[in-house]
Amino acid sequence: SSIRKPSSYGRGLFPKSQHAPLSEPNCSAISTRHGLRSPTSIASVSQIIRWHGGGPGPDAPTVNITFINPDDSKTPITARVGETLLQTSHRTGVEMEGACEGVCACSTCHIILEQDLYDQLSDEAEHGALSEDEEDMLDMAFGLTQTSRLGCQITVKENMDGSVFMMPKATRNFYVDGHKPTPH
């Protein structure tokens, strides 16, 4: 077998002054094959890598929110500021599917917001609109409404205290109908 020279693709992504040693967990998979200068140094790890199962720790500030389930029952929960609604639901046992595990590649974490919250989040969004990826995935959502969003794309904030989120009556899972993945 031959030895491959490291590709020059991606060299110089970050000025040397921005490099910092990796100190966060789950960073061992970073390698030069991904175009990074070094397997042990990149700038602002948390801005580049999306952590699986991560989110704020148990000491994070919390807010009280309510999910309205598909059967119209209400589930009040305590959400951690900084986690997504999908992470919140998985952590607290609310049945929000999230087949793609929160990478905006499906519509199974579809959630319906109250109009005021939807407007507020739209105002805070870049260019006042949803990302193109989220819009594309919402096009596949069951029961789409004017205030539909994906739970993996909504980060819990302190001003969400008392918010109510409605779960749609069903989801469209292209993997296997009835399959409910568990986060790892």
Side-chain angles (χ1 to χ4, degrees):
S1 91
S2 63
I3 299 174
R4 286 179 58 186
K5 289 175 77 176
S7 166
S8 62
Y9 173 77
R11 292 195 183 269
L13 281 175
F14 308 105
K16 284 185 179 180
S17 63
Q18 290 183 353
H19 284 241
L22 295 176
S23 60
E24 298 186 42
N26 300 327
C27 295
S28 61
I30 297 172
S31 70
T32 53
R33 73 183 168 146
H34 296 294
L36 298 174
R37 180 175 285 224
S38 156
T40 59
S41 62
I42 62 171
S44 187
V45 172
S46 62
Q47 291 177 0
I48 297 169
I49 297 174
R50 191 162 195 179
W51 303 107
H52 287 276
D59 295 334
T62 59
V63 295
N64 295 313
I65 63 174
T66 301
F67 284 100
I68 299 177
N69 301 304
D71 65 0
D72 293 325
S73 64
K74 294 181 181 180
T75 305
I77 60 153
T78 301
R80 295 176 182 159
V81 172
E83 67 186 355
T84 65
L85 287 178
L86 180 62
Q87 289 170 323
T88 298
S89 68
H90 286 178
R91 182 179 53 78
T92 60
V94 171
E95 289 198 32
M96 183 184 292
E97 188 170 347
C100 74
E101 298 184 13
V103 296
C104 199
C106 73
S107 63
T108 61
C109 65
H110 171 216
I111 194 97
I112 302 164
L113 281 61
E114 295 174 314
Q115 186 68 53
D116 290 344
L117 181 58
Y118 181 88
D119 292 342
Q120 178 184 343
L121 292 175
S122 294
D123 290 344
E124 294 170 1
E126 187 175 337
H127 307 295
L130 305 180
S131 73
E132 188 175 338
D133 287 342
E134 185 175 4
E135 286 183 1
D136 288 347
M137 293 301 108
L138 281 171
D139 286 342
M140 297 185 293
F142 178 87
L144 189 65
T145 72
Q146 292 294 320
T147 62
S148 289
R149 290 289 308 269
L150 296 179
C152 67
Q153 299 301 297
I154 299 173
T155 302
V156 175
K157 298 180 181 176
E158 288 180 359
N159 61 355
M160 290 183 178
D161 194 47
S163 294
V164 176
F165 301 93
M166 181 181 291
M167 309 280 284
K169 302 293 182 194
T171 64
R172 288 189 177 135
N173 183 344
F174 293 108
Y175 182 70
V176 173
D177 192 27
H179 172 75
K180 292 186 183 179
T182 55
H184 40 304

